[in-house]
């Protein structure tokens, strides 16, 4: 039953972020073709809210194709879940409309409204660029790790030439020398690309290139920053470099300058917070005896209670990794310490704009402990910087955390990376297996995305980080090869051979047109290939870009430019309007514009008539805004509000009405 619609944008819900006691108005759209069969229309809060029983909605607006109904209420001091019900006079049952649409053989999934949940406006639809610092650009060779500087996880660290590629089994000990000065020198490039927010993989002191094994939360790693105090004695070199007060101070100052320069360009900065675990070099464990009072060798250390210990006097490592000691949040002192870390980096003088939280749902030993800590962290962070963003790494529904105001949003695996990858390539995001039944399966794609969006209340979905590649998963270009495997059994060359540029471009267009904040992982803008970790962390080939890469770069710039001119893509109503097999069409719209995205993964041209009446716009010309191939449009409306499109094989395009 097409045409029934509501969401939580400011046309269908206002105010969008209500405070307790504030008057809230909700709207529902009903198509006129239902005619006189429509009886009463109800706003229907969840059954256990006694103060808010089913409430009749009043007709408030009429257009060529639709009636609009609305109802108002005062926001309670709680989470309010609701749906709508439409009484059809010729039916015995009411039609239910919820956060996924009309339920058919599934439970009702209510809209969620959270009192006092405020989100930063800058983060709605912001264009992200993720930087893995060690592999981005080396502008200061004096801070590079050197061969044999120290042992890590049983082996010596290695400094590699920039032109070489990662070894399949030594990713945690190979350094290329990228640094924050390198980011500073490439800010013109980043700004020209159209980036609005930089998300950094971890940059605090750590013995690995990825730095998810934090050694010191309080300072920037001098290998990324500035090394003033040094020694030629390899037995002391690492300790001097990473614990020298001069080096730490200068490195922090360099990062401060980087943030200031980004802000001058209207570029926000988000950093990675790894608080589920620290590293075995951290002063609390101190495996290398760098600080002198760690819990590993001193049972009376005050840091002993920061970890979990077994009967053999061994600390628990996250997922069994001894380099990643899991932190014990049964200790209130740990809560206070991590809160102070957030205050330091979000406040003066650094003024960072937000956190990405690593494996956030793993923290602690129970959901209650986990959610309680993140709620505490959220309150502290927002008090220091109310306009900061907090989004988490999570691979399932974040709704229980969002309802408690633990985070603002998420890394959007559930409605972007996973469904796009399966629909366009059939590939799992590590290239570990192929699900051929999901390739060109628009039914699965639509249902998956609808469910995922229903798990992101209010404005969370506009801030969710949409990506197709990142440091944890294979590069999007490599997934288009549809090859199963990883580096080792497969070669570096295998990661690019058999690539599909059409599919690659289609994926980027979809990432930019589905609800969320589109994010490029460094190198995506030139189609950098790579198997999953460590091959997804190849050095950026500055000055050695292929001609194909240069063409993809221009494609990326144009796509970002068009995206930034379309307000409804950043924050608008969204719905699927047509799909079958490997073809689908969806729309984003607001009062001023309507954007239709058409994706054809089929190997043949698709001739489609789209029900553009669903956008409730006056009839007019369709303008092609962006396309991966040539598309034919018949600029003629049929009487029922349809419009004919002819979409060429393996193509994605979007249009403005």
């Amino acid at each position: 039953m097409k045409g029934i619609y509501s969401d939580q944008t400011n046309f269908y819900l206002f105010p969008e972020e209500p405070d307790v006691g504030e008057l809230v108005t909700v709207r529902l759209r009903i198509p006129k073709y239902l005619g006189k069969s429509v009886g009463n229309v109800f706003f229907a809060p969840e059954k256990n809210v006694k103060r808010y029983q089913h409430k009749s909605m009043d007709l408030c607006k009429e257009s060529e194709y639709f009636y609009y109904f609305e109802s108002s209420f005062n926001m309670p001091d709680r989470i309010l879940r609701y749906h709508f019900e439409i009484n059809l006079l010729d039916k015995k049952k009411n039609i239910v409309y919820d956060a996924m649409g009309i339920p058919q053989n599934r439970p009702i999934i209510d809209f969620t409204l959270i009192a006092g949940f405020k989100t930063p406006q800058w983060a709605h639809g912001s264009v992200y660029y993720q930087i893995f610092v060690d592999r981005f650009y080396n502008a200061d060779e004096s801070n590079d790790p050197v061969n044999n500087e120290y042992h890590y996880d049983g082996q010596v660290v290695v400094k590699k030439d920039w032109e070489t590629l990662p070894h399949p089994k030594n990713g945690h000990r190979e350094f290329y020398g990228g640094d924050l000065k390198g980011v500073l020198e490439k800010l013109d490039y980043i700004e020209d690309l159209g980036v609005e927010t930089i998300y950094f993989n971890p940059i605090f002191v750590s013995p690995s290139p990825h730095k998810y094994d934090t050694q010191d939360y309080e300072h920037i790693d001098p290998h990324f920053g500035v090394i003033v105090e040094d020694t030629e004695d390899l037995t002391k070199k690492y300790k001097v470099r990473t614990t020298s007060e001069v080096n730490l101070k200068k490195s922090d100052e360099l990062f401060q300058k980087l943030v200031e320069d980004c802000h001058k360009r209207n570029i926000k900065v988000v950093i990675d917070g790894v608080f589920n675990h620290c590293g075995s070099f951290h002063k609390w464990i101190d495996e290398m005896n760098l600080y002198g009072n760690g819990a590993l060798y001193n049972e009376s250390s005050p840091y002993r209670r920061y970890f979990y210990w077994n009967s053999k006097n061994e600390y628990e490592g996250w997922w069994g990794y001894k380099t990643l000691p899991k932190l014990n949040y049964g200790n209130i002192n740990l809560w206070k310490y991590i809160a102070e870390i957030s205050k330091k980096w979000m406040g003066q003088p650094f003024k960072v704009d937000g956190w990405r939280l690593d494996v956030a749902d793993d923290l602690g030993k129970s959901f209650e402990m986990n959610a309680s800590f993140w709620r505490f962290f959220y309150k502290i962070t927002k008090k220091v910087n109310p306009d900061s963003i907090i989004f988490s790494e999570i691979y399932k529904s974040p709704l229980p955390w969002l309802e408690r105001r633990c985070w603002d949003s998420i890394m959007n695996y559930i409605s972007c990376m996973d469904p796009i990858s399966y629909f366009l390539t059939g590939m799992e995001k590590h290239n570990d297996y192929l699900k051929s039944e999901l390739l060109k399966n628009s039914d699965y794609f639509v249902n998956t995305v609808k469910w995922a969006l229903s798990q992101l209340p209010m404005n969370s979905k506009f801030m969710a980080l949409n990506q197709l590649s990142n440091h944890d998963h294979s590069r999007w270009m490599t997934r288009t090869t549809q090859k199963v495997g990883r580096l080792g059994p497969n070669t570096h060359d295998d990661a690019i051979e058999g690539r599909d540029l059409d599919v690659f471009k289609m994926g980027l267009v979809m990432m930019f047109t589905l609800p969320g904040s589109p994010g490029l992982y460094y190198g995506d803008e030139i189609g950098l290939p790579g198997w999953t970790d460590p091959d997804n962390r190849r050095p950026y080939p500055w000055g050695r870009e292929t001609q194909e890469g240069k063409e993809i770069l221009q494609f990326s710039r144009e796509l970002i430019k068009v995206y930034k001119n379309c307000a409804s893509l950043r924050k608008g109503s969204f719905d699927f309007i047509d799909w079958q097999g490997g073809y689908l069409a969806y729309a984003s719209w607001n009062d001023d514009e309507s954007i239709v995205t058409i994706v054809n993964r089929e190997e043949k041209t698709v001739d489609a008539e789209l029900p553009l009446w669903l956008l409730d716009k006056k009839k007019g010309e369709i303008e092609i805004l962006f396309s991966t191939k040539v598309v034919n449009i018949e600029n003629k409306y049929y009487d029922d509000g349809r419009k004919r499109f002819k979409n060429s094989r393996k193509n994605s395009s979007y249009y403005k009405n």
Side-chain angles (χ1 to χ4, degrees):
M1 189 171 291
K2 286 188 175 182
I4 301 173
Y5 187 80
S6 186
D7 62 24
Q8 293 183 320
T9 59
N10 60 13
F11 181 81
Y12 293 95
L13 169 71
F14 48 93
E16 293 174 287
E17 299 178 333
D19 289 316
V20 174
E22 194 167 6
L23 184 66
V24 180
T25 300
V26 291
R27 282 180 176 168
L28 176 70
R29 187 186 77 180
I30 297 177
K32 284 186 171 180
Y33 72 76
L34 290 177
K36 296 181 179 180
S37 63
V38 176
N40 290 323
V41 180
F42 297 101
F43 167 69
E46 58 183 335
K47 293 180 180 179
N48 62 352
V49 184
K50 295 180 179 179
R51 292 173 53 200
Y52 295 94
Q53 301 298 333
H54 281 30
K55 188 173 182 181
S56 182
M57 303 181 73
D58 300 319
L59 180 66
C60 66
K61 181 181 176 182
E62 181 179 350
S63 67
E64 182 176 358
Y65 297 110
F66 297 100
Y67 295 116
Y68 292 85
F69 292 81
E70 72 177 24
S71 181
S72 297
F73 58 91
N74 292 106
M75 187 67 200
D77 183 14
R78 63 180 314 282
I79 296 166
L80 183 64
R81 302 177 183 89
Y82 66 91
H83 58 272
F84 302 95
E85 295 186 14
I86 305 165
N87 174 245
L88 296 183
L89 299 177
D90 57 348
K91 304 280 186 180
K92 292 184 179 180
K93 277 191 171 183
N94 288 353
I95 295 175
V96 171
Y97 185 89
D98 64 12
M100 280 188 67
I102 298 175
Q104 293 180 339
N105 301 316
R106 64 166 174 82
I108 294 173
I109 299 177
D110 283 322
F111 291 95
T112 302
L113 192 57
I114 305 166
F117 184 27
K118 309 294 183 182
T119 57
Q121 294 299 304
W122 66 263
H124 295 159
S126 185
V127 179
Y128 279 75
Y129 190 72
Q130 180 184 346
I131 296 178
F132 192 94
V133 177
D134 183 63
R135 312 296 162 86
F136 186 62
Y137 183 54
N138 187 356
D140 181 1
E141 294 185 357
S142 71
N143 62 14
D144 292 0
V146 300
N147 288 328
N148 302 312
E149 183 175 324
Y150 56 99
H151 283 72
Y152 181 63
D153 199 18
Q155 297 183 40
V156 295
V157 298
V158 177
K159 169 62 171 60
K160 299 193 69 170
D161 293 333
W162 199 263
E163 291 75 19
T164 61
L165 295 176
H167 187 277
K169 295 184 179 180
N170 202 29
H172 302 315
R173 290 171 290 271
E174 293 184 330
F175 290 84
Y176 286 83
D179 45 48
L180 296 181
K181 186 178 178 183
V183 179
L184 266 168
E185 292 190 8
K186 293 298 182 181
L187 282 183
D188 285 344
Y189 169 84
I190 293 170
E191 183 179 25
D192 183 62
L193 184 59
V195 172
E196 296 170 316
T197 302
I198 294 174
Y199 152 44
F200 285 105
N201 286 108
I203 54 177
F204 302 142
V205 183
S206 154
S208 71
H210 58 72
K211 305 208 176 302
Y212 283 98
D213 44 2
T214 312
Q215 177 178 325
D216 183 353
Y217 292 104
E218 298 174 31
H219 297 287
I220 303 301
D221 195 315
H223 292 99
F224 283 177
V226 179
I227 294 178
V228 176
E229 187 175 350
D230 205 353
T231 178
E232 294 304 313
D233 185 348
L234 284 180
T235 64
K236 299 178 181 178
K237 195 175 189 68
Y238 183 77
K239 179 174 181 177
V240 170
R241 285 181 153 198
T242 61
T243 65
S244 161
E245 291 297 328
V246 175
N247 293 346
L248 296 173
K249 182 175 183 293
K250 291 292 185 182
S251 297
D252 292 351
E253 289 172 352
L254 177 63
F255 178 63
Q256 180 183 338
K257 174 175 170 49
L258 174 56
V259 176
E260 289 171 351
D261 284 12
C262 286
H263 287 170
K264 289 175 184 177
R265 298 168 184 260
N266 293 318
I267 296 174
K268 303 289 186 179
V269 175
V270 172
I271 58 177
D272 217 320
V274 189
F275 303 129
N276 165 72
H277 53 269
C278 64
S280 57
F281 281 29
H282 196 283
K283 63 184 176 183
W284 299 337
I285 284 287
D286 205 10
E287 176 188 3
M288 300 300 291
N289 204 21
L290 299 170
Y291 300 94
N293 196 24
L296 183 60
Y297 305 120
N298 181 3
E299 291 191 26
S300 63
S301 169
Y303 305 122
R304 184 91 178 168
R305 59 179 186 246
Y306 283 30
F307 304 96
Y308 299 97
W309 301 85
N310 64 22
S311 58
K312 297 180 180 180
N313 201 31
E314 298 169 329
Y315 61 81
E316 178 182 336
W318 179 65
W319 279 26
Y321 293 109
K322 285 301 179 182
T323 57
L324 305 175
K326 185 170 176 63
L327 293 169
N328 181 358
Y329 280 85
N331 179 1
I332 192 62
N333 289 329
L334 180 59
W335 287 43
K336 293 177 180 178
Y337 177 85
I338 298 299
E340 289 300 314
I341 292 300
S342 187
K343 288 164 68 174
K344 172 174 180 172
W345 297 107
M346 297 300 115
Q348 298 284 357
F350 300 101
K351 297 187 290 187
V352 174
D353 300 291
W355 289 103
R356 177 265 189 188
L357 302 175
D358 185 59
V359 293
D361 60 322
D362 277 6
L363 181 141
K365 291 284 191 174
S366 69
F367 172 75
E368 287 306 321
M369 176 184 287
N370 181 292
S372 295
F373 172 76
W374 288 129
R375 177 63 181 143
F376 170 75
F377 180 89
Y378 177 95
K379 286 181 176 180
I380 294 293
T381 303
K382 294 291 185 175
K383 186 175 181 179
V384 174
N385 183 355
D387 213 30
S388 62
I389 184 175
I390 300 172
F391 64 93
S392 72
E393 176 190 20
I394 188 170
Y395 293 82
K396 59 190 177 187
S397 170
L399 194 54
W401 288 269
L402 295 175
E403 288 182 339
R404 288 164 175 79
R405 287 192 286 170
C406 297
W407 316 318
D408 292 304
S409 197
I410 60 170
M411 297 185 74
N412 206 6
Y413 293 110
I414 58 176
S415 69
C416 182
M417 186 184 289
D418 284 342
I420 290 178
S421 188
Y422 283 129
F423 178 69
L424 293 182
T425 70
M427 296 301 303
E428 183 268 342
K429 55 184 170 286
H430 289 284
N431 276 75
D432 279 347
Y433 51 84
L434 172 71
K435 285 192 171 184
S436 56
E437 71 275 14
L438 301 185
L439 175 63
K440 307 180 194 177
N441 187 337
S442 57
D443 283 334
Y444 177 84
F445 179 86
V446 170
N447 288 330
T448 297
V449 173
K450 282 187 173 183
W451 171 82
L453 294 178
S454 77
Q455 303 304 295
L456 293 166
M458 295 178 46
N459 292 321
S460 291
K461 64 177 176 288
F462 301 119
M463 296 183 295
L465 179 57
N466 288 356
Q467 292 183 305
L468 291 174
S469 311
N470 61 29
H471 63 287
D472 279 329
H473 305 97
S474 58
R475 291 277 184 169
W476 172 233
M477 181 63 84
T478 293
R479 255 174 281 146
T480 71
T481 68
Q482 297 182 284
K483 296 175 186 174
V484 173
R486 298 193 175 204
L487 183 63
N490 294 324
T491 68
H492 293 106
D493 289 339
D494 289 334
I496 192 68
E497 290 178 357
R499 66 196 174 281
D500 193 321
L501 288 179
D502 291 331
V503 170
F504 177 85
K505 292 177 180 178
M506 291 164 67
L508 289 190
V509 170
M510 293 178 73
M511 183 183 76
F512 273 85
T513 53
L514 288 172
S517 294
L520 295 171
Y521 181 42
Y522 81 98
D524 281 351
E525 71 272 25
I526 59 169
L528 198 66
W531 302 103
T532 198
D533 175 23
D535 198 36
N536 54 12
R537 303 168 184 180
R538 298 184 185 191
Y540 192 105
W542 299 106
R544 296 181 293 110
E545 299 91 340
T546 64
Q547 183 58 39
E548 179 180 281
K550 293 176 182 177
E551 292 171 0
I552 294 173
L553 177 60
Q554 186 58 34
F555 175 91
S556 301
R557 284 173 174 156
E558 288 299 316
L559 179 57
I560 292 172
K561 182 179 179 181
V562 173
Y563 167 83
K564 290 168 72 173
N565 286 326
C566 298
S568 64
L569 292 178
R570 287 184 184 270
K571 187 177 180 181
S573 293
F574 173 88
D575 204 6
F576 292 96
I577 58 176
D578 198 26
W579 64 92
Q580 184 176 0
Y583 147 80
L584 60 89
Y586 52 85
S588 301
W589 70 95
N590 58 24
D591 287 341
D592 300 317
E593 68 182 17
S594 300
I595 306 296
V596 178
T597 302
I598 301 177
V599 180
N600 180 19
R601 182 58 179 87
E602 300 288 358
E603 300 290 341
K604 61 184 179 181
T605 297
V606 170
D607 192 352
E609 293 178 7
L610 297 184
L612 296 188
W613 64 273
L614 291 171
L615 307 181
D616 200 18
K617 301 295 182 182
K618 293 182 179 178
K619 297 175 182 178
E621 293 292 307
I622 292 289
E623 172 190 359
I624 299 179
L625 292 180
F626 195 87
S627 181
T628 60
K629 283 188 175 180
V630 177
V631 181
N632 296 319
I633 303 177
E634 182 182 310
N635 253 312
K636 172 186 175 184
Y637 277 91
Y638 293 86
D639 290 340
D640 61 359
R642 293 174 295 124
K643 197 171 190 62
R644 184 179 296 277
F645 287 77
K646 192 179 290 290
N647 205 289
S648 56
R649 60 184 290 274
K650 287 202 292 190
N651 175 42
S652 58
S653 319
Y654 58 98
Y655 312 83
K656 184 175 183 179
N657 182 202

